């Protein structure tokens, strides 16, 4: 089994004066949700997600050799402009990964990042952002130690991304990714995401995700605080065991192409996530009235037309509308006719399953 020690790099030479890399990494949407964690970003339960294709972060990382004075040194740019408020997050990330990447203090970094989705759209950029940064760091590590394998590269990238933001570890490689130990997923690990090992039924190929932007405001409760509230939560143990069960069930569903069961599991997971928030102490609600309006409209449309469309939610008010590619036209028409009125400024983003991070050098 791979352990944390395997990711400590001590076989490198500071052989270069500098360099630069550029990676894009996508966002992902969880089907079985990660909610609750232990120390060091270890998830309380396993999760599984679809990797997205269009919502992504593009990050350039330039580095030049500096004297190792025991400090991290970096400039942070957002769309080419200095962005001081992002710096503490990156500083914390560097601190967390330093034991595994001891070469970080030998260089000065310029990190320039941009998203393909509107800033403050309420779409979490931490998953795509941390994954894109982790890929750049691994490109640098490969420069300093060219012997590392592609498998190690991807596993460690996911491992590092996880230390930045848990769900980011599912944004490295593969269309469907599992993170967290699960008895039926042979290589699964709490330390990094792995590609779903079975062949996915064609019903789920090019699955569509239209993201309805219901509320673009700052969330009242961050994911990090929300995860912490699962400590001592009265339903925590039940919830964690349900996630194991749902992951077994969805594994089967993805293999067999059972869209009907898929809908049941995915919608139940979304509502359970929010039920955990509502039953935390202190309790909180991230859904908005329009989130519920949309859910009810989807249920009505589904029962009237038998179109296999469903929703999921992440830690916010936005709604992800999931459906097979072969009903795309009907669903987009339905969204335009009946749902965009509930979106802030009528905004929504059309996305679909993607493959993971891409090297843009
Ligand atoms: C509801 O990965 O954002 O989207 O590890 O604290 O950065 P941190 O949390 P984060 O939590 C995501 C929670 C979720 C469910 C999921 O993506 O599995």
């Amino acid at each position: 089994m791979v352990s944390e020690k395997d990711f400590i790099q001590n076989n490198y030479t500071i052989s270069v004066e500098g360099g630069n890399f550029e990676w894009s990494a996508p966002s992902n949407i969880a089907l079985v949700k990660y909610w609750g964690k232990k120390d060091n970003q270890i998830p309380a339960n396993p999760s599984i997600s679809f990797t997205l294709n269009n919502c992504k972060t593009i990050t350039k990382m330039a580095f030049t050799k500096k004297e190792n004075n025991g400090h991290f040194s970096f400039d942070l740019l957002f769309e080419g402009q200095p962005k001081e408020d992002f710096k503490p997050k990156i500083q914390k990330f560097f601190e967390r990964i330093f034991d595994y990447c001891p070469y970080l203090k030998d260089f000065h970094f310029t990190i320039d990042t941009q998203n393909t989705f509107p800033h403050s759209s309420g779409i979490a950029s931490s998953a795509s952002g941390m994954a894109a940064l982790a890929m750049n760091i691994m490109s640098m590590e490969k420069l300093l130690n060219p012997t590392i394998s592609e498998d190690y590269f991807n596993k460690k990238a996911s491992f590092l991304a996880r230390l930045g933001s848990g769900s980011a570890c599912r944004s490295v490689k593969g269309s469907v990714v599992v993170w967290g130990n699960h008895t039926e997923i042979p290589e699964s690990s709490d330390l990094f995401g792995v590609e779903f090992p079975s062949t996915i039924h064609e019903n789920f190929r090019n699955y569509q995700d239209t993201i309805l932007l219901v509320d673009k405001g700052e969330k009242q409760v961050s994911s990090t605080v929300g995860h912490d509230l699962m400590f001592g939560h009265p339903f925590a143990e039940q919830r964690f065991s349900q996630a194991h069960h749902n992951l077994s069930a969805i594994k089967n569903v993805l293999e067999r192409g059972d869209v009907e069961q898929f809908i049941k599991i995915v919608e139940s997971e979304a509502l359970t996530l929010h039920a955990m928030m509502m039953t935390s102490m202190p309790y909180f609600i991230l859904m908005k009235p329009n989130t519920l309006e949309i859910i009810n409209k989807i249920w009505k449309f589904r029962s009237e037309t038998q179109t296999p469309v469903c929703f999921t939610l992440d830690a916010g008010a936005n709604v992800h509308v999931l459906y097979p590619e072969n009903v795309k036209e009907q669903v987009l028409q339905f969204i335009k006719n009946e749902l965009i009125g509930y979106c802030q400024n009528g905004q929504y983003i059309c996305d679909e399953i993607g493959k993971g991070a891409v090297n843009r050098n």
Side-chain angles (χ1 to χ4, degrees):
M1 223 178 61
V2 185
S3 82
E4 269 144 336
K5 288 198 194 78
D6 296 315
F7 293 122
I8 300 174
Q9 181 60 258
N10 43 28
N11 185 25
Y12 64 94
T13 48
I14 305 293
S15 49
V16 292
E17 287 300 314
N20 55 77
F21 294 107
E22 181 171 336
W23 280 88
S24 74
S27 188
N28 69 75
I29 180 68
L31 305 171
V32 172
K33 310 287 182 181
Y34 148 58
W35 198 245
K37 60 178 159 183
K38 306 175 203 168
D39 284 348
N40 300 322
Q41 297 282 101
I42 298 298
N45 65 260
S47 57
I48 185 169
S49 54
F50 278 161
T51 304
L52 297 183
N53 192 50
N54 304 334
C55 289
K56 55 192 177 197
T57 298
I58 300 162
T59 301
K60 282 189 216 164
M61 188 182 90
F63 51 98
T64 48
K65 203 161 160 180
K66 73 165 182 71
E67 180 206 347
N68 186 337
N69 56 0
H71 296 291
F72 298 113
S73 167
F74 63 92
D75 295 314
L76 206 269
L77 310 177
F78 181 69
E79 295 177 348
Q81 301 299 319
K83 187 87 179 163
E84 288 300 310
D85 25 326
F86 284 5
K87 281 191 91 172
K89 225 175 162 177
I90 306 296
Q91 173 74 27
K92 204 166 148 197
F93 177 58
F94 274 18
E95 283 164 15
R96 281 190 189 167
I97 67 171
F98 178 65
D99 285 348
Y100 308 100
C101 308
Y103 45 81
L104 290 175
K105 288 182 182 167
D106 289 288
F107 294 91
H108 171 80
F109 295 86
T110 305
I111 299 163
D112 189 352
T113 187
Q114 67 188 88
N115 297 325
T116 59
F117 43 90
H119 185 51
S120 78
S121 57
I123 296 183
S125 61
S126 63
S128 53
M130 287 299 171
L133 187 52
M135 295 312 275
N136 278 305
I137 291 170
M138 286 312 295
S139 281
M140 174 182 183
E141 182 165 318
K142 194 164 168 61
L143 196 65
L144 305 180
N145 177 4
T147 66
I148 64 173
S149 70
E150 197 184 326
D151 183 58
Y152 178 86
F153 185 110
N154 288 322
K155 280 201 176 113
K156 184 167 173 182
S158 174
F159 172 87
L160 297 177
R162 183 196 104 242
L163 292 171
S165 176
S167 55
C169 78
R170 298 186 312 237
S171 279
V172 168
K173 187 171 182 276
S175 299
V176 183
V177 178
V178 177
W179 167 40
N181 284 322
H182 187 274
T183 47
E184 291 170 38
I185 309 281
E187 304 273 302
S188 59
S189 169
D190 284 348
L191 300 179
F192 47 83
V194 297
E195 233 180 308
F196 182 66
S198 331
T199 306
I200 291 146
H201 192 278
E202 60 176 58
N203 290 353
F204 293 106
R205 265 187 225 142
N206 296 331
Y207 224 69
Q208 305 289 304
D209 179 3
T210 302
I211 308 162
L212 307 179
L213 304 180
V214 171
D215 187 65
K216 303 192 290 175
E218 187 78 11
K219 278 187 279 188
Q220 293 124 324
V221 180
S222 73
S223 288
T224 306
V225 171
H227 285 290
D228 276 350
L229 293 173
M230 288 302 281
F231 273 113
H233 190 293
F235 308 138
E237 286 317 310
Q238 248 336 107
R239 160 60 197 151
F240 300 147
S241 91
Q242 179 198 37
H244 280 267
H245 177 83
N246 280 345
L247 213 146
S248 299
I250 210 161
K251 173 178 184 284
N252 203 272
V253 156
L254 293 171
E255 289 163 0
R256 284 188 299 111
D258 188 341
V259 175
E260 213 173 295
Q261 279 304 318
F262 175 85
I263 290 174
K264 285 193 181 142
I265 298 165
V266 167
E267 291 191 344
S268 165
E269 273 289 322
L271 294 179
T272 300
L273 169 71
H274 285 258
M276 290 299 117
M277 298 172 186
M278 290 192 257
T279 49
S280 295
M281 194 54 79
Y283 40 81
F284 59 106
I285 302 179
L286 296 184
M287 290 186 286
K288 296 283 178 193
N290 282 350
T291 311
L292 296 179
E293 295 284 0
I294 290 168
I295 291 173
N296 280 305
K297 288 275 183 190
I298 290 173
W299 284 344
K300 186 160 178 276
F301 176 74
R302 188 164 78 219
S303 89
E304 283 173 2
T305 64
Q306 309 304 311
T307 310
V309 53
C310 70
F311 72 87
T312 188
L313 307 168
D314 52 20
N318 296 336
V319 181
H320 289 248
V321 185
L322 300 177
Y323 49 96
E325 194 180 26
N326 65 1
V327 294
K328 191 171 169 176
E329 245 171 74
Q330 297 94 291
V331 175
L332 282 176
Q333 202 53 55
F334 157 65
I335 289 172
K336 281 184 201 141
N337 294 346
E338 299 197 45
L339 302 184
I340 54 171
Y342 300 113
C343 300
Q344 237 179 30
N345 308 322
Q347 275 186 291
Y348 62 97
I349 298 172
C350 292
D351 212 332
E352 60 186 2
I353 291 193
K355 292 194 177 74
V358 174
N359 187 346
R360 292 165 57 97
N361 271 97

